[in-house]
Amino acid sequence: MDQTVNLWPLLGIAAVILGFLLRGNPLLVVCCAGIVTGAAAGLDPLAILAKVGDGFMKTRSLSTALLLALLAVGLAERHGLRERAYRWIQDIGDATAGGLLIVYLLARQLSAALGLSAQGGHPQVVRPILVPMAEGAWEKLHGKLNAAQRARLRAMCAATDNIGLFFGENLFVAFSAVILMHAFMRENGHALDPLYLALWGIPTAMFAFLIHAGRLAWHEYRLSRAAQQEKRE
């Protein structure tokens, strides 16, 4: 019996890497990668479309709890949450934007590793709390941010949340990706415990933390140098 494994569907991974390297639209990149994977697996266009539609129908709904949380955050932001976060961080004498983001990165990874992935996020934490705190810490030490510096700092806040969540939740045994890997390996004759898979994510999470913490420190250094040059000019 022929047991040859078709590796051509792995071209979808190459499509994702290439699309992100070219800074393409994430949604378009993922859709193109899905089409490439389906075509390489021998699926006809209608079957690929059916798979995409089935995945959309399974994940399109927002839970009532999430909607209520977003409403609560919006109401708090309307009544001064951002301004309060900005002023609060300025009361901490030695706080820096880079140090704040490194602490948040660690907290985000650890909470996600415990399955508390909803404790952070862009709408409920990054926009109303983390961004004004980072801006407040920066402006307390270096003065007002210009438009380019503000955009870069906000991008680093968003990236910190993404990286902390992505590499932290892979350490949670009941996370869907870990269960998916467990099921895939079991179907192919490799009985691996989900805890074993989660533990092997620890080195990756540690390196992700160290690399991004280094990026944050370097970003703080670059912004401070630019601010000093502007003052001299």
Side-chain angles (χ1 to χ4, degrees):
M1 183 175 62
D2 186 12
Q3 295 184 350
T4 303
V5 178
N6 180 16
L7 298 179
W8 286 111
L10 296 178
L11 286 174
I13 299 176
V16 171
I17 296 173
L18 179 62
F20 287 155
L21 286 176
L22 296 176
R23 298 183 180 275
N25 182 284
L27 180 60
L28 183 60
V29 169
V30 171
C31 289
C32 290
I35 294 172
V36 170
T37 301
L43 298 178
D44 59 77
L46 289 179
I48 296 174
L49 184 61
K51 291 288 186 182
V52 173
D54 183 59
F56 174 77
M57 292 300 293
K58 288 181 178 179
T59 59
R60 67 187 178 92
S61 59
L62 286 174
S63 66
T64 303
L66 178 58
L67 290 176
L68 291 176
L70 292 178
L71 289 173
V73 170
L75 185 62
E77 188 174 340
R78 181 181 178 88
H79 286 81
L81 177 62
R82 290 172 59 87
E83 291 76 11
R84 179 56 186 163
Y86 181 91
R87 292 194 299 268
W88 180 77
I89 196 67
Q90 290 191 325
D91 293 336
I92 302 177
D94 55 351
T96 64
L100 170 69
L101 292 180
I102 291 174
V103 171
Y104 180 78
L105 173 64
L106 179 61
R108 187 68 164 129
Q109 273 197 333
L110 293 177
S111 62
L114 296 174
L116 303 175
S117 58
Q119 298 303 307
H122 293 259
Q124 65 267 40
V125 174
V126 175
R127 173 186 161 83
I129 299 176
L130 185 63
V131 166
M133 288 180 67
E135 292 176 353
W138 171 263
E139 292 182 348
K140 179 189 63 175
L141 297 176
H142 306 289
K144 288 292 183 181
L145 290 157
N146 59 38
Q149 292 171 339
R150 190 178 303 277
R152 184 176 292 274
L153 182 59
R154 290 180 176 181
M156 293 303 289
C157 290
T160 299
D161 185 87
N162 288 344
I163 292 171
L165 173 64
F166 183 85
F167 291 98
E169 62 188 1
N170 287 323
L171 307 182
F172 184 52
V173 177
F175 178 53
S176 57
V178 175
I179 299 301
L180 178 62
M181 288 187 288
H182 167 69
F184 176 81
M185 298 299 289
R186 184 180 59 189
E187 290 174 0
N188 288 273
H190 303 283
L192 297 178
D193 191 88
L195 179 60
Y196 179 82
L197 295 172
L199 288 176
W200 272 102
I202 293 178
T204 306
M206 292 176 60
F207 277 107
F209 174 81
L210 293 174
I211 291 170
H212 191 61
R215 292 182 64 211
L216 291 171
W218 173 246
H219 176 259
E220 175 94 8
Y221 172 73
R222 287 182 60 190
L223 278 181
S224 62
R225 281 193 59 185
Q228 291 172 3
Q229 290 178 356
E230 287 184 359
K231 289 180 180 179
R232 286 196 296 267
E233 294 173 357

